[in-house]
Amino acid sequence: MTDLSVRTWRDAHAEILRRIRARAWAPGDLIPKEVDLAAEMGVTRSTMNRALRELAAAGVVERRRKGGTRVAEAPVRKATLDIPVIRREVEAGGRAYGYTLLHREATPPPADIRARLALTGAAAVLHLIAVHLADGRPFVEEERWINPAGAAGALDVDFTAISANEWLIAHTPFSRGDIAFGAASASPDVAARLAIEVCEPLFVIERTTWGDEAAITFVRLSYPGGYRMRTTL
Amino acid sequence: MTDLSVRTWRDAHAEILRRIRARAWAPGDLIPKEVDLAAEMGVTRSTMNRALRELAAAGVVERRRKGGTRVAEAPVRKATLDIPVIRREVEAGGRAYGYTLLHREATPPPADIRARLALTGAAAVLHLIAVHLADGRPFVEEERWINPAGAAGALDVDFTAISANEWLIAHTPFSRGDIAFGAASASPDVAARLAIEVCEPLFVIERTTWGDEAAITFVRLSYPGGYRMRTTL
DNA sequence: CAGTGGTCTAGACCACCAG
DNA sequence: TGGTGGTCTAGACCACTGC
């Protein structure tokens, strides 16, 4: 018998998840349509729709108009990562935040950076290298290119007092971005900046952000090997 | 004047995002309440609620009952990562998938694994080491511990034909999990399994999954340094 | 073409929490 | 304690897509 305590979309969500876990509906199976489930559990279709929509967003079911709703075959679990401002990340750990700009130069970009920023001409971009500190010790190294065509005013900013990330957040909101996570070995330069040994492993985050028309910035963050980025499933 | 083409929650969502980007509402600002925004844009509160809820989920605004809705100060951007089954990940790249089990042993777990699986006794767990292949070449090394108390039947399975991941997906759905991403150096063992040099950088994913009561499994996936996990913001 | 999910409306009650 | 967001209901129209 159906649990009569189903009153909210969370209840319905939980009940459907329970059935899927209990194999009442196996992976690949078509499950009843919204209207039927709603009727069975005693809620309106709107409520059931909300429950199923959330399950679809979590990758548990797949939905198609006319095709119905089916249990995901390969549960491509979706993990949501928070991408915090580094200052907050450090301060959230109870440590004092610091920031040192090591290099600042407007220069024509190398070919790979031109490609990442989708630049055609040879106009100069702003190249920054900085280290973020936690309790005075290197936390992460940042190498960044800023496209003046996408970030108006950046060339006039001295980034010694404010990190490029925070300046960009405040002045140049982005509309989309891509991000990649990987590992690399510390080059001599990066090793020196992070005060680690050459060839130690680095956790690397590469991010490109775009405005409505042009690329705004490309940044590579290199964390020493002990760093972990965590979330839940 | 308000754009009269606002008809759907996506329109409202886009319009609000536009205003935030245009600094009509600055970070930290309180924005009008649902009812007012709905009236202004000519939609119902339900529709506006959906738009604002999605913005909150994306980390663009923060909402509180009675406190209203305000533009997020530090846009803690949320990135959604797909955690695919490795077979699918390889096949999605157009390569042939392969899998080799290198080690299988039921053994009392070392202390760190006991801690990760929240085990109290010294009951044996199943320890597996395997390599996943793409076009016959090592793609990722997998070291896994399976808690028989959380994954009934695992001790009876020979994991040479089916990878533990796929068996678990099919037989032991999990209710929650935690996942961490980081970097490490290849130990001699791992380097040999992946056919890379000792001390080359590895991209490491560590994942623990839990059933309703007990931990099911802990797995460490080690990808060679060139690997990138990508998503969009 | 017809069935299913996607969305909107108009109204209502309620939970939470800032003042 | 009152204002704000969270959610439910009942009904409707429509877009997509499998058959």
Side-chain angles (χ1 to χ4, degrees):
Chain A
M1 194 50 208
T2 300
D3 188 350
L4 292 175
S5 67
V6 173
R7 298 262 162 274
T8 71
W9 72 265
R10 287 175 192 282
D11 297 333
H13 182 277
E15 171 62 16
I16 292 164
L17 206 47
R18 193 190 62 72
R19 293 188 191 179
I20 290 174
R21 295 220 177 98
R23 289 284 182 282
W25 298 313
D29 279 5
L30 206 55
I31 77 179
K33 48 197 180 203
E34 282 186 3
V35 192
D36 295 348
L37 281 172
E40 187 216 335
M41 296 193 192
V43 296
T44 57
R45 186 164 83 95
S46 324
T47 303
M48 187 54 66
N49 178 278
R50 175 79 187 270
L52 291 168
R53 192 200 316 143
E54 301 278 341
L55 285 168
V60 176
V61 301
E62 291 163 357
R63 317 193 72 197
R64 277 186 190 171
R65 280 167 164 135
K66 167 76 180 181
T69 301
R70 56 182 68 239
V71 180
E73 289 265 13
V76 176
R77 301 299 297 220
K78 288 167 164 113
T80 302
L81 281 179
D82 286 349
I83 312 294
V85 178
I86 292 170
R87 169 197 291 283
R88 303 247 170 178
E89 189 178 9
V90 169
E91 290 173 348
R95 290 177 291 182
Y97 174 76
Y99 165 81
T100 307
L101 181 66
L102 301 175
H103 177 86
R104 181 190 186 284
E105 183 184 18
T107 174
D112 61 324
I113 301 301
R114 258 210 320 275
R116 282 182 191 277
L117 296 176
L119 298 175
T120 50
V125 300
L126 190 58
H127 181 203
L128 303 174
I129 297 175
V131 175
H132 300 263
L133 310 168
D135 280 346
R137 299 187 354 200
F139 180 72
V140 58
E141 190 246 19
E142 166 179 336
E143 181 166 16
R144 182 186 292 270
W145 283 265
I146 301 176
N147 177 19
L155 285 176
D156 303 325
V157 181
D158 166 325
F159 287 103
T160 53
I162 182 175
S163 78
N165 190 2
E166 296 191 57
W167 185 85
L168 287 166
I169 284 173
H171 293 81
T172 313
F174 65 90
S175 47
R176 63 200 167 84
D178 52 75
I179 189 165
F181 306 90
S185 290
S187 69
D189 284 350
V190 174
R193 291 173 202 139
L194 288 174
I196 61 175
E197 300 298 319
V198 173
C199 290
E200 276 196 48
L202 301 172
F203 181 68
V204 178
I205 302 177
E206 293 175 331
R207 188 169 62 214
T208 309
T209 53
W210 307 75
D212 289 330
E213 287 142 26
I216 296 172
T217 186
F218 167 73
V219 61
R220 177 184 292 118
L221 297 168
S222 300
Y223 292 84
Y227 179 79
R228 289 291 182 275
M229 172 167 268
R230 298 173 190 286
T231 188
T232 56
L233 292 174
Chain B
M1 196 49 210
T2 299
D3 188 350
L4 291 176
S5 67
V6 173
R7 299 262 163 271
T8 73
W9 72 265
R10 286 174 193 281
D11 296 334
H13 182 277
E15 170 62 16
I16 293 165
L17 205 47
R18 192 191 62 72
R19 293 188 191 178
I20 290 174
R21 295 223 177 95
R23 288 285 182 282
W25 298 315
D29 280 4
L30 206 55
I31 76 180
K33 48 196 178 204
E34 282 186 2
V35 192
D36 295 347
L37 281 173
E40 187 216 334
M41 296 193 191
V43 296
T44 56
R45 187 165 82 94
S46 324
T47 302
M48 187 53 67
N49 179 278
R50 175 81 188 270
L52 290 168
R53 192 201 314 144
E54 301 279 341
L55 285 169
V60 176
V61 302
E62 292 164 356
R63 318 193 72 197
R64 278 186 190 167
R65 277 164 165 142
K66 167 73 180 182
T69 301
R70 57 182 68 239
V71 180
E73 291 265 13
V76 176
R77 284 290 177 155
K78 285 162 173 143
T80 303
L81 282 179
D82 286 348
I83 313 294
V85 178
I86 293 169
R87 169 197 293 281
R88 304 247 168 178
E89 189 177 10
V90 169
E91 290 173 347
R95 290 177 290 182
Y97 174 76
Y99 164 81
T100 307
L101 180 67
L102 301 175
H103 178 86
R104 182 190 185 286
E105 182 184 18
T107 173
D112 60 326
I113 301 302
R114 259 210 320 273
R116 283 183 192 277
L117 295 177
L119 298 176
T120 50
V125 300
L126 190 58
H127 181 203
L128 304 175
I129 297 175
V131 174
H132 300 263
L133 310 168
D135 280 345
R137 300 186 355 199
F139 179 73
V140 58
E141 191 246 16
E142 166 179 338
E143 181 166 16
R144 182 185 292 270
W145 283 265
I146 300 176
N147 178 18
L155 285 176
D156 303 324
V157 181
D158 166 324
F159 287 103
T160 53
I162 183 175
S163 79
N165 191 2
E166 296 190 55
W167 184 85
L168 287 166
I169 284 174
H171 293 80
T172 314
F174 65 90
S175 48
R176 64 199 167 83
D178 52 74
I179 188 166
F181 306 90
S185 293
S187 68
D189 284 348
V190 174
R193 291 173 202 140
L194 288 174
I196 61 176
E197 299 298 317
V198 172
C199 290
E200 276 195 49
L202 299 173
F203 180 68
V204 178
I205 302 178
E206 293 175 332
R207 189 168 62 214
T208 308
T209 53
W210 307 76
D212 289 330
E213 289 142 25
I216 296 172
T217 186
F218 167 72
V219 62
R220 179 183 293 119
L221 298 169
S222 300
Y223 292 84
Y227 179 79
R228 290 291 182 274
M229 172 167 267
R230 301 174 189 284
T231 188
T232 57
L233 292 173

